[in-house]
């Protein structure tokens, strides 16, 4: 099992660092799945236990100048590591004007991701700062626990409003209740609602647009024969929603939300080379 990678391009390095920062805000620990072409960051708090789950994938070619890995076995050419994303983000933070960053899987006293940051210096020799980030190696028999979450058939899919706007609305609502109701319809309307014994607050968004979800086999979850005005709603933990909105360092080009009535809210944030899915289960 071997892994080493190198980033030289500063823009790629800063972008990668922002992604790790976003993940660190969503997950205290997560799984890093390495394949030849992609990196995946996975959080699978079992949704059944009320935990949120996350699936973030990026193509290594968009970030790394060098990327070599050998998985557990030829037919299972993957590596699964458990780690604390905050630790990786802190290491990358020291690399803001680095000449290069090398990341390598090592195993001296325990398995670690070694991040070696080559900093510019006035003399001809470079300064190298290394960070060892402890990781747990996930055995092959447990890999199935970290497969991509399946998306249940949703009642409504809608584009999200500007995330900054949404964040400021949710931040104000957080002071009034621990729960928020998200509801949307197929006419591009979405409401965020708080209802307590003392107060009821609703923020309306209009003209958001609904994604055209046609699947390959043509059986799309389309709007045909459905009431475009009728709202599908789910009540979720407001802190989990705020975590997602507050953690955004990636400025997605597309952000959308799928609602399965009274069951789950599924967010998808897309940036050119990154996709982040976040699932928040509904509370009864």
């Amino acid at each position: 099992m071997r892994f080493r990678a190198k980033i030289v391009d500063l823009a790629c390095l800063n972008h990668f660092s922002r992604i790790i920062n976003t993940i660190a805000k969503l997950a205290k620990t997560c799984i890093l799945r390495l394949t030849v072409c992609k990196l995946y960051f996975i959080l699978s708090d079992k949704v059944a236990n009320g935990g949120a789950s996350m699936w973030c994938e990026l193509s290594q070619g968009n970030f790394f100048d060098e990327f070599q890995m050998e998985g557990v076995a030829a037919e299972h050419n993957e590596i699964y590591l458990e780690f604390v994303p905050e630790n990786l983000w802190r290491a990358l933070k020291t690399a803001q004007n680095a000449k290069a960053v090398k990341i390598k899987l090592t195993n001296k006293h325990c398995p670690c991701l070694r991040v070696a940051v080559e900093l510019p210096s006035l003399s001809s020799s470079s300064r190298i700062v290394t960070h060892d980030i402890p990781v747990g190696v996930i055995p092959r028999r447990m890999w199935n626990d970290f497969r991509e979450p399946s998306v249940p058939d949703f009642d409504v899919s809608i584009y999200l409003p500007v995330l900054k706007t949404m964040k400021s609305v949710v931040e104000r609502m957080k002071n009034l209740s621990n729960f928020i109701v998200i509801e949307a319809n197929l006419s591009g309307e979405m409401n965020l609602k708080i209802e307590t014994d003392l107060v009821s607050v609703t923020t309306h968004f209009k003209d958001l647009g609904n994604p055209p979800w046609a699947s390959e086999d043509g059986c799309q979850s389309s709007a045909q024969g459905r009431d475009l005005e009728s709202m599908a709603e789910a009540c979720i933990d407001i802190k989990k929603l705020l975590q997602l909105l507050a953690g955004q360092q990636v400025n997605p080009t597309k952000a959308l939300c799928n609602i399965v009535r009274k069951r789950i809210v599924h967010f998808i944030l897309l940036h050119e080379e990154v996709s982040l899915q976040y699932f928040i289960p509904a509370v009864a």
Side-chain angles (χ1 to χ4, degrees), residues 157-176:
S157 180
I158 191 164
Y159 290 113
L160 288 171
V162 176
L163 295 185
K164 274 195 176 132
T165 309
M166 194 169 159
K167 176 181 160 228
S168 63
V169 168
V170 174
E171 264 175 345
R172 287 202 292 274
M173 288 179 159
K174 169 180 115 272
N175 303 325
L176 303 172

